[in-house]
């Protein structure tokens, strides 16, 4: 990876300088780039060949926005590729409106040249920097006055089945929520009769062609932004409440794992579904489910495709609460999210990080991390006000600072 990183760093520098020769020096002639759908002026979508990507991708961006990519983290991504997370920072050239949004870049480097790029960002942020709006096609995302962001899956006619658009929209929504300073809690739910039935198999079959020969590529294209969305939700500072109702299947179970608290309706049924399709799993389930319900139960859920009822999900620790039906579950989820939005946001962010990272640390390392986190939380205005309120026997009021 160090050699690959050096190549990509040279490209970022060349792009920032508008150095066409420098770009060509590190990009293969047969480069294939997949840019975020929804980027205007024909920029979003697939670009084949270095010339196409340079002229109609990178330089087209430069024509409409004065923007630079600022890498913030580097790691090994899928299949040994290089994953770079960072931010686009700049302004719309004509509007002067600011552009500041997160990106994920997945690079493939071979023999010192970049041969493939997959880019995900919030296309709406680019449109808004032009002075326009770009609503998400399959997710209804709102933020109320109390700081509760509601991320509502909105393909009810397909029972919120996951296609490429929904996978892309989920990542865009997660990035948008993470970047919005107003957000103090997140509610994830689904419109219609199910949270999600998992992957949209008719869509996958249609995109895979005769004999389903292209299915590996189709699934890779779908699962990459889908999984990055969960990475982005993990990094959100605000606590997350998920409402599970009806069918919760396949990779859609990832929305349950994303929740710090989960409310399920009595009709909820959780099923991995992959064994029935000859597939293995996505959405982080093979990591989360054994930790939530135990290795033996998780193995049965995967290998025998055994559904988990709502009562079992509660008894086994997959969900926190049950409600009578979908409406009651949503109401309870909203109440929980509203309660959390009134809490100590910085402390909640620290708690989420500690709980998430505890799986990869021993006890001593975790105690060390706790010491650093509690000191950081103690520096906040909320902590000082809450301790003062306790000492004077008052009820604390948290401002999220």
């Amino acid at each position: 990876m160090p050699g690959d990183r050096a190549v990509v760093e040279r490209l970022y520098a060349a792009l920032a300088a508008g150095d066409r020769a420098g770009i060509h020096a590190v990009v293969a002639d047969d480069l294939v780039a997949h840019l975020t759908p929804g980027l205007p002026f024909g920029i979003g979508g697939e670009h084949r060949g270095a010339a196409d990507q340079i002229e109609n991708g990178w330089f087209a961006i430069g024509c409409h926005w004065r923007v630079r990519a600022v890498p913030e983290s580097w790691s090994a991504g899928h299949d040994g590729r290089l994953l770079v997370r960072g931010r686009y920072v700049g302004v719309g050239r004509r509007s002067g409106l600011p552009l500041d949004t997160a990106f994920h870049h997945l690079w493939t480097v071979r023999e010192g040249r970049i041969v493939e790029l997959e880019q995900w960002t919030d296309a709406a942020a680019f449109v808004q920097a032009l002075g326009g709006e770009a609503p998400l096609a399959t997710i209804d995302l709102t933020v109320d006055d109390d700081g509760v962001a509601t991320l509502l899956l909105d393909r009810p006619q397909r029972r919120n089945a996951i296609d490429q658009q929904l996978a892309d929209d989920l990542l865009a929504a997660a990035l948008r929520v993470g970047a919005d300073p107003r957000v103090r809690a997140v509610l994830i739910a689904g419109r219609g009769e199910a949270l999600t039935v998992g992957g949209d198999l008719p869509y996958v079959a249609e995109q895979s062609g005769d004999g389903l020969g292209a299915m590996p590529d189709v699934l890779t294209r779908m699962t990459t932004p889908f999984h990055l969305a969960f990475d982005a939700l993990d990094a959100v500072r605000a606590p997350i409440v998920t409402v599970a109702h009806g069918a919760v299947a396949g990779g859609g179970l990832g929305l349950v794992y994303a929740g710090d608290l989960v409310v399920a309706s009595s009709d909820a049924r959780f099923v991995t579904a992959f064994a029935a399709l000859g597939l293995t799993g996505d959405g982080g389930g093979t990591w989360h489910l054994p930790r939530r319900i135990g290795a033996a139960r998780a193995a049965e859920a995967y290998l025998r495709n055994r559904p988990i009822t709502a009562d079992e999900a509660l008894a086994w620790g997959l969900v926190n609460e049950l409600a009578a039906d979908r409406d009651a579950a949503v109401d309870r989820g909203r109440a929980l999210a509203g309660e959390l939005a009134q809490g100590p946001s910085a402390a909640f962010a620290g708690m989420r990080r500690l709980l998430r990272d505890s799986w990869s640390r021993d006890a001593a390392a975790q105690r060390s991390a706790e010491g650093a986190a509690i000191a950081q939380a103690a520096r906040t205005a909320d902590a000082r006000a809450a301790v003062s309120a306790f000492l004077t026997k008052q009820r604390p009021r948290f401002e999220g600072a």
Side-chain angles (χ1 to χ4, degrees):
M1 192 178 79
D4 293 352
R5 174 170 174 169
V7 172
V8 175
E9 285 180 329
R10 287 173 59 195
L11 176 62
Y12 284 134
L15 288 170
D19 179 2
R20 188 184 297 267
I23 297 169
H24 277 286
V26 294
V27 171
D29 291 341
D30 59 351
L31 169 74
V32 177
H34 298 280
L35 304 188
T36 299
L39 287 172
F41 309 114
I43 295 169
E46 183 177 87
H47 297 276
R48 287 193 167 270
D52 183 15
Q53 171 59 18
I54 292 169
E55 297 301 328
N56 301 315
W58 291 318
F59 280 20
I61 289 173
C63 286
H64 300 284
W65 300 271
R66 187 178 296 109
V67 63
R68 60 191 178 94
V70 181
E72 295 177 341
S73 69
W74 305 72
S75 60
H78 305 280
D79 304 324
R81 291 179 285 176
L82 179 64
L83 175 62
V84 183
R85 296 184 176 92
R87 303 196 70 79
Y88 288 120
V89 180
V91 296
R93 285 193 178 273
R94 293 187 178 181
S95 70
L97 294 173
L99 171 62
D100 185 351
T101 191
F103 69 72
H104 291 68
H105 291 162
L106 198 57
W107 302 95
T108 303
V109 181
R110 295 195 189 113
E111 299 178 354
R113 304 289 290 276
I114 296 168
V115 298
E116 187 173 5
L117 162 65
E118 295 191 32
Q119 176 234 42
W120 291 274
T121 189
D122 184 359
F126 281 80
V127 174
Q128 288 164 359
L130 299 171
E133 293 287 337
L136 302 172
T138 62
I139 290 177
D140 183 1
L141 179 62
T142 59
V143 181
D144 68 20
D145 293 339
D146 292 328
V148 176
T150 299
L151 194 160
L152 187 68
L153 275 63
D154 194 14
R155 293 190 77 207
Q157 73 283 6
R158 299 289 300 155
R159 293 198 293 167
N160 296 320
I162 301 158
D163 63 355
Q164 185 69 60
Q165 183 69 62
L166 195 148
D168 291 335
D169 283 352
L170 183 63
L171 176 56
L175 293 172
R176 211 178 297 186
V177 165
D180 191 336
R182 299 173 298 164
V183 174
R184 297 182 63 184
V186 181
L187 177 66
I188 297 175
R191 179 165 282 142
E193 64 185 60
L195 174 59
T196 172
V197 294
D200 188 333
L201 294 179
Y203 169 83
V204 171
E206 178 185 354
Q207 296 296 310
S208 298
D210 294 340
L212 302 181
M215 187 162 63
D217 292 337
V218 171
L219 290 177
T220 297
R221 288 281 302 144
M222 287 174 60
T223 57
T224 300
F226 189 59
H227 287 169
L228 290 173
F230 293 120
D231 291 346
L233 289 171
D234 281 347
V236 169
R237 291 173 52 82
I240 298 173
V241 178
T242 297
V243 174
H245 75 285
V248 186
L253 282 162
L255 297 168
V256 173
Y257 311 137
D260 300 296
L261 300 176
V262 182
V263 180
S265 64
S266 60
D267 72 338
R269 295 293 182 274
F270 307 86
V271 59
T272 61
F274 297 105
L277 302 171
L279 298 172
T280 52
D282 67 342
T286 56
W287 192 92
H288 284 282
L289 199 59
R291 290 165 170 80
R292 293 285 186 101
I293 67 172
R297 289 170 177 152
E300 186 174 23
Y302 270 90
L303 299 176
R304 299 188 61 209
N305 207 30
R306 180 191 183 284
I308 299 169
T309 67
D311 288 335
E312 288 171 331
L314 178 64
W316 296 351
L318 185 59
V319 306
N320 297 86
E321 299 183 20
L322 294 186
D325 53 30
R326 189 262 181 191
D327 290 343
V330 171
D331 288 345
R332 179 56 179 156
R334 284 184 179 138
L336 284 173
E339 173 190 316
L340 293 169
Q342 301 304 311
S345 299
F348 284 162
M351 292 175 194
R352 295 193 78 229
R353 188 168 54 250
L354 286 167
L355 290 168
R356 181 180 67 245
D357 294 347
S358 68
W359 294 105
S360 60
R361 294 193 183 113
D362 60 26
Q366 186 70 3
R367 285 191 292 269
S368 176
E370 287 179 345
I374 200 168
Q376 182 176 2
R379 298 185 182 97
T380 66
D382 272 350
R384 293 192 297 271
V387 171
S388 296
F390 177 84
L391 294 174
T392 57
K393 294 183 171 54
Q394 301 295 312
R395 185 174 180 176
R397 179 176 179 178
F398 298 107
E399 301 293 339

